[in-house]
Amino acid sequence: MRNAVKLTAAVLAAGALTLGLTACGSDKDDASDTSGPLIVAASPVPHAEILTYVKDNLAKDAGLDLQVKEFTDYVLPNTATEDGSVGANYFQNQPYLDDFNKKNGTHIVPVVTVHLEPLGLYSSKIKKADELKSGATVAVPNDTVNEARALKLLDANGIITLKDGAGNDATPKDIAKNPKNLKFKELEAAQTPRSLDDVDAAVINGNYAIESDLKPSEDALVLESADDNPYGNFLAVKEGNEDDPRVKKLAKLLTSPEVKKFIEDKYAGSVIASF
């Protein structure tokens, strides 16, 4: 359905960051040539879907040659942007990017925020969060920022209580009160939807929930609020490329009334435009 190249999370099993840096090396010249197409790395849903809408409906009239590459993990889009294999990426939020740059020595910067995917708690075994039994197992993403975000969601809904000052690197060790004695299973974010049959509940990122035919606005037991939410997803580039005319064109298109309507119509509250 989409003219995109899928790179599966299996690549991550190799473990080395250098693999990510060379995974798309054949496109390096295309990405660095501002007169050529703008190649954007994106998660399949909703990011690549939004970009594909732009490509099919808006890019030509704006004089933008846009190409979309799909990645199913949260590492390779940044490493490919850092090494120039792609010209930009669209999949992440500011706390995640800050943590990634710090840990990996990369130089990725945001350009424009487009949407929010509310994080939610889901279950195939219970209908309400207060039905979680003592000793229940809850799956959470295992990357630093999304694990903290998941715990904050549970804290905000009275399921656990985090210690004062727990921030964007919070882990289960930062739980002050756990009245149901919940056990936490840390998984790669992409794996959390697949864990629903094996755990009592799972905290799932919005994009992976939608990919798994879950409707956050309807199926989540509890869902993040969009008010003052710092986890909006943005278009990002390697530092120094913010003024690339192709990037500026895409930033304008991604925050256009047409894209806002597309997000509202297609995702019905499961993805929320941030502009």
Side-chain angles (χ1 to χ4, degrees):
M1 181 174 68
R2 299 183 290 268
N3 293 326
V5 176
K6 292 190 175 180
L7 297 180
T8 68
V11 179
L12 290 178
L17 182 61
T18 53
L19 289 180
L21 293 171
T22 59
C24 304
S26 61
D27 296 318
K28 193 167 185 175
D29 291 340
D30 289 337
S32 60
D33 179 6
T34 60
S35 65
L38 177 63
I39 306 170
V40 183
S43 298
V45 179
H47 310 79
E49 291 181 343
I50 294 170
L51 287 169
T52 298
Y53 170 80
V54 170
K55 177 181 178 181
D56 292 345
N57 297 278
L58 305 174
K60 184 176 180 180
D61 288 344
L64 175 65
D65 184 357
L66 177 63
Q67 294 183 12
V68 184
K69 278 196 170 184
E70 292 185 10
F71 292 74
T72 59
D73 71 277
Y74 288 163
V75 175
L76 294 179
N78 275 336
T79 57
T81 303
E82 178 73 13
D83 83 343
S85 300
V86 300
N89 68 56
Y90 173 34
F91 77 100
Q92 66 191 320
N93 56 56
Q94 191 67 60
Y96 179 84
L97 176 59
D98 290 344
D99 182 70
F100 190 95
N101 279 335
K102 181 179 179 180
K103 289 180 176 177
N104 296 285
T106 46
H107 309 84
I108 312 301
V109 295
V111 176
V112 66
T113 300
V114 181
H115 76 267
L116 171 72
E117 302 160 26
L119 197 75
L121 177 70
Y122 300 83
S123 177
S124 60
K125 298 177 174 65
I126 59 175
K127 299 296 183 182
K128 297 180 180 179
D130 59 13
E131 294 175 2
L132 280 169
K133 296 179 180 179
S134 179
T137 299
V138 178
V140 294
N142 66 1
D143 64 273
T144 301
V145 170
N146 282 305
E147 180 169 45
R149 187 180 174 190
L151 295 174
K152 288 179 181 180
L153 173 68
L154 300 180
D155 175 86
N157 287 275
I159 298 170
I160 61 170
T161 302
L162 289 171
K163 296 176 183 176
D164 291 343
N168 291 328
D169 57 356
T171 71
K173 294 180 180 179
D174 294 296
I175 296 173
K177 296 180 181 179
N178 185 2
K180 291 183 179 286
N181 296 310
L182 299 178
K183 299 174 183 177
F184 294 94
K185 187 173 185 178
E186 298 166 311
L187 300 172
E188 182 187 344
Q191 301 299 321
T192 53
R194 302 172 199 171
S195 75
L196 284 174
D197 289 338
D198 302 317
V199 298
D200 297 289
V203 180
I204 303 174
N205 291 71
N207 60 313
Y208 292 130
I210 297 168
E211 273 187 67
S212 301
D213 295 325
L214 294 167
K215 296 181 179 180
S217 59
E218 298 177 13
D219 297 331
L221 306 183
V222 297
L223 194 66
E224 271 183 331
S225 169
D227 296 338
D228 299 318
N229 195 302
Y231 297 105
N233 284 203
F234 46 68
L235 179 70
V237 297
K238 185 176 182 179
E239 187 175 8
N241 294 336
E242 301 94 320
D243 292 330
D244 183 327
R246 302 168 303 168
V247 172
K248 287 187 171 182
K249 286 180 181 178
L250 180 57
K252 184 175 181 179
L253 294 177
L254 282 172
T255 54
S256 65
E258 293 89 345
V259 167
K260 186 172 186 177
K261 186 176 187 304
F262 172 77
I263 291 173
E264 290 172 346
D265 291 348
K266 183 170 181 63
Y267 303 109
S270 293
V271 176
I272 303 167
S274 299
F275 56 92

